[in-house]
Amino acid sequence: MTRHYLIKVSIEGFRGINNEGQPLELTFSKEKVNSVYAVNGLGKSSVYDALSYGIFGHIPKLERLEQSEDAQAYINNRFHGQSTATIIFTFEADDGSAKTEITVTRDAVGNRTVTSPTEADPEGFLKALRSDFALLDQATFEQFIRDKSLDRGRTFSRLLGLSRLSEYRLALQKLSHAGNLSSDLKIELLQNNDKLWKEQLQSLITSLRQAYDQLTGTAYSGVFDPTTFATGVIDALKQIPTVQPYCDVQELAALDFPTIENAVSAAEKSADRDRLTKRRDAQSKLAALKPLESEQQEHEQFAKLVAQRDEAMSKTAGSLLLNNYRSAVAVMTDASWSDPRICPTCESTVPTSLLEQLQEKLAAYEKTEEATTAITALWTTASWPTRWRAMEQNSDINPEGGLDDCDQLSNSFKNGTVTVDQLAQATSELAKLDDQRKDVLKTIEEEIKKLESSLPASMVAVTRQIAAAKQAAADLAKYQELKPKLEQVTNQVARREAWKNFIAKAHRDFAAAESALVESRQHAIAARSASMHDDITRNPDVVPALDRPTGSERLRLRLDQFY
């Protein structure tokens, strides 16, 4: 890689350099350390500012001034007749190629122009020189000394030329953040779906096995297979003479149960038998509304998430300031923002890092948003909201209709704003409806027993078989609908968990490698810096040291020796 040395700079009309028609020219040797010295007031700082403006396009110390001070008015020298500042750089490459001359001009209205008689892309050439350690001013050095260990460590990485690696590590840190991953990839939502659908599928398989045993008189063994199940059920129905003509099908879904029930009803001609059929249908619907095993865990999870959201929200200043905080952090994390203690809104300076304070405030908002998103996701996947609404709409539980508590509260759950009182109300209403369901189911089961005792055994048996087959057909349809959805969501969870593990490992490995590189460079300069300190101070009893713990960004300044 070609390196370029600055061997000459010419400055006219810039900052405190008042020299119209007589450019200040400085030449530098590439084999030595070069110094610029003079008494106060002759423009040493202006030379440094010219290098900064010419290469970077801005002057950091002016940018730290308040807007009311009109910092831009202090760039061009006010006594220059044309009000124009000109900086001419001459660079020499270490490969022996031709010298490069680049002119940077700033006109009276602040327009910056970059030209060159030798370089096709002079602005690109200057951009290539914009490394973090190209220029180091006193303010930056003093801030380095005063900074907290974390900020000092990050500055140290930039001074070692490792800021790009730090940027990559911070990007990986954001990508691997567990909360962001769960939110962006909807992992928690998918996991809830996976858990719920597995439980529902297992419940269906258990119900289908019991129906098969009842219909065929044979226990279903082995892995559940829909085709084998359907064949067994259809063959069992074919044994009923009245039903047999309607069983010339291959799939349970093809059975026309209303026609079968009408045919049996016409053959039996019994009002009690028809009543028994309807009561068995009602029994099946009510039995299907029983709570799943996971329902109690869902209620507990809702309570936990609402508590987490409320606790996090109590640490914020409300939604009004959220966008303001986000904008301020975006400005302060930009590479052009030099001082984390300056407020980007009012430009006042605070004693400690304002960025860290803002990030702490945003962290509380993030926790609030994470809990809110989790509440919304859980409402979408939970089993009891569907059960609650179905019980409100069931004509046996609620014969008069008019119940809509679930719909009234659903918006609060959907947008994650549900309160503790609303959650308690939902739990109470659901429990009340479930008690009614149990009472009604018990009444219906008692009525079924009375009807069965009054009817011939053969008629009761046929009614039971048809009711069992009808319920089995409904359960099998649910099974066939649910199984591919479960397989899909299981695969999605696996893929996203794999990505989550990969990016977390990538962040850990990258952070470890970056830390090792910083440590190696730190050790490489430690001995030399101690030697330079000794040469300058002539005091071997005081030995400075940089202490950066392995795996940490924090950098502490300490004394290995001190008398």
Side-chain angles (χ1 to χ4, degrees), residues 214 240 261 264 268 272-278 280 452 455-469:
Q214 176 184 334
I240 305 173
E261 289 172 342
V264 173
E268 302 292 349
D272 285 346
R273 196 216 68 82
D274 292 343
R275 177 66 178 172
L276 179 60
T277 298
K278 292 178 181 178
R280 284 196 177 280
E452 287 181 344
L455 293 170
S458 60
M459 185 183 297
V460 171
V462 170
T463 304
R464 284 179 178 172
Q465 291 292 83
I466 294 173

Side-chain angles (χ1 to χ4, degrees), residues 378-446:
L378 186 58
W379 174 257
T380 304
T381 61
S383 61
W384 63 268
T386 302
R387 193 172 76 88
W388 182 9
R389 186 174 288 106
M391 286 194 293
E392 286 186 338
Q393 296 171 352
N394 186 279
S395 59
D396 289 297
I397 298 175
N398 181 29
E400 296 181 0
L403 288 178
D404 59 356
D405 293 326
C406 182
D407 289 335
Q408 287 183 9
L409 288 175
S410 64
N411 284 336
S412 296
F413 281 96
K414 285 178 182 177
N415 57 31
T417 60
V418 61
T419 64
V420 173
D421 291 340
Q422 287 176 323
L423 182 59
Q425 178 187 349
T427 304
S428 175
E429 293 295 335
L430 182 66
K432 188 187 301 181
L433 282 171
D434 197 52
D435 287 340
Q436 291 178 239
R437 180 191 69 85
K438 293 175 183 177
D439 292 340
V440 173
L441 182 59
K442 183 178 179 180
T443 301
I444 290 176
E445 288 173 345
E446 290 174 353

Side-chain angles (χ1 to χ4, degrees), residues 16 34 68 78 84 120 132 142 151 189 210 224 247 249-250 270 281 311 371-372 397 425 431 442 469 483 555 557 562:
N34 296 266
S68 60
R78 294 191 174 192
T84 300
D132 294 312
E142 288 181 346
D151 293 330
L189 174 63
Q210 291 172 351
F224 181 79
C247 296
V249 295
Q250 300 297 320
S270 169
D281 282 346
E311 181 184 0
T372 300
I397 298 175
Q425 178 187 349
K442 183 178 179 180
K483 194 168 189 301
L555 182 70
L557 297 177
F562 188 69

Side-chain angles (χ1 to χ4, degrees), residues 363-384:
Y365 280 102
E366 288 176 0
K367 289 181 180 178
T368 302
E369 291 179 352
E370 287 173 13
T372 300
T373 301
I375 291 171
T376 302
L378 186 58
W379 174 257
T380 304
T381 61
S383 61
W384 63 268

Side-chain angles (χ1 to χ4, degrees), residues 39 68 76 103 164 166 194 199 201 240 244 276-277 323 335 438 468 499:
V39 298
S68 60
N76 292 15
T103 300
R164 292 290 297 276
S166 180
D194 186 63
E199 186 177 350
L201 197 68
I240 305 173
Q244 194 275 333
L276 179 60
T277 298
N323 289 333
K438 293 175 183 177
W499 166 255

Side-chain angles (χ1 to χ4, degrees), residues 6-12 17 23-28 36 46-48 50-51 54-55 86-91 102:
L6 177 63
I7 61 172
K8 182 179 178 181
V9 62
S10 172
I11 307 169
E12 180 182 339
I17 300 176
L24 169 64
E25 292 187 353
L26 300 173
T27 58
F28 306 104
V36 177
S46 295
V47 171
Y48 180 88
L51 295 175
I55 296 174
T86 304
I87 307 162
I88 303 174
F89 296 109
T90 303
F91 297 94
I102 296 178

Side-chain angles (χ1 to χ4, degrees), residues 30-288:
K30 63 181 182 180
E31 286 85 16
K32 303 174 183 177
V33 173
N34 296 266
S35 298
V36 177
Y37 59 94
V39 298
N40 291 341
L42 292 185
K44 298 187 300 298
S45 297
S46 295
V47 171
Y48 180 88
D49 292 341
L51 295 175
S52 179
Y53 181 80
I55 296 174
F56 288 89
H58 64 90
I59 302 173
K61 67 182 180 184
L62 294 185
E63 291 185 342
R64 290 193 285 266
L65 296 177
E66 295 183 6
Q67 288 184 350
S68 60
E69 296 188 45
D70 192 16
Q72 298 302 311
Y74 298 104
I75 296 179
N76 292 15
N77 187 277
R78 294 191 174 192
F79 300 102
H80 192 281
Q82 303 298 320
S83 297
T84 300
T86 304
I87 307 162
I88 303 174
F89 296 109
T90 303
F91 297 94
E92 183 176 313
D94 62 357
D95 60 2
S97 56
K99 295 178 181 179
T100 301
E101 183 178 293
I102 296 178
T103 300
V104 179
T105 304
R106 187 179 189 275
D107 63 21
V109 295
N111 295 317
R112 181 175 182 270
T113 305
V114 182
T115 59
S116 173
T118 58
E119 175 63 36
D121 181 17
E123 184 65 61
F125 184 97
L126 293 177
K127 284 183 178 180
L129 301 177
R130 295 174 187 173
S131 61
D132 294 312
F133 52 90
L135 294 174
L136 177 61
D137 60 0
Q138 181 180 353
T140 302
F141 180 75
E142 288 181 346
Q143 181 180 321
F144 176 80
I145 300 299
R146 294 194 307 266
D147 265 344
K148 293 182 179 179
S149 59
L150 180 60
D151 293 330
R152 186 187 299 120
R154 290 172 177 172
T155 302
F156 187 63
S157 292
R158 291 198 299 272
L159 294 176
L160 293 180
L162 302 177
S163 62
R164 292 290 297 276
L165 295 182
S166 180
E167 291 173 7
Y168 290 144
R169 178 183 45 73
L170 290 174
L172 286 171
Q173 181 178 332
K174 291 180 180 179
L175 286 173
S176 62
H177 186 271
N180 293 341
L181 282 172
S182 295
S183 175
D184 296 342
L185 300 180
K186 296 181 172 59
I187 291 177
E188 188 169 355
L189 174 63
L190 293 173
Q191 288 175 331
N192 287 337
N193 279 337
D194 186 63
K195 179 180 179 181
L196 175 63
W197 292 346
K198 279 178 179 175
E199 186 177 350
Q200 289 180 347
L201 197 68
Q202 188 56 50
S203 179
L204 286 171
I205 291 175
T206 300
S207 178
L208 289 167
R209 288 181 182 274
Q210 291 172 351
Y212 189 88
D213 296 350
Q214 176 184 334
L215 288 162
T216 66
T218 305
Y220 192 101
S221 60
V223 179
F224 181 79
D225 176 65
T227 302
T228 303
F229 176 85
T231 300
V233 171
I234 292 171
D235 288 344
L237 291 177
K238 286 180 180 179
Q239 307 306 312
I240 305 173
T242 310
V243 178
Q244 194 275 333
Y246 306 98
C247 296
D248 190 18
V249 295
Q250 300 297 320
E251 298 179 358
L252 275 182
L255 287 173
D256 187 352
F257 283 100
T259 300
I260 291 174
E261 289 172 342
N262 288 336
V264 173
S265 178
E268 302 292 349
K269 294 181 180 179
S270 169
D272 285 346
R273 196 216 68 82
D274 292 343
R275 177 66 178 172
L276 179 60
T277 298
K278 292 178 181 178
R279 293 290 80 190
R280 284 196 177 280
D281 282 346
Q283 179 192 34
S284 296
K285 290 177 181 178
L286 289 172

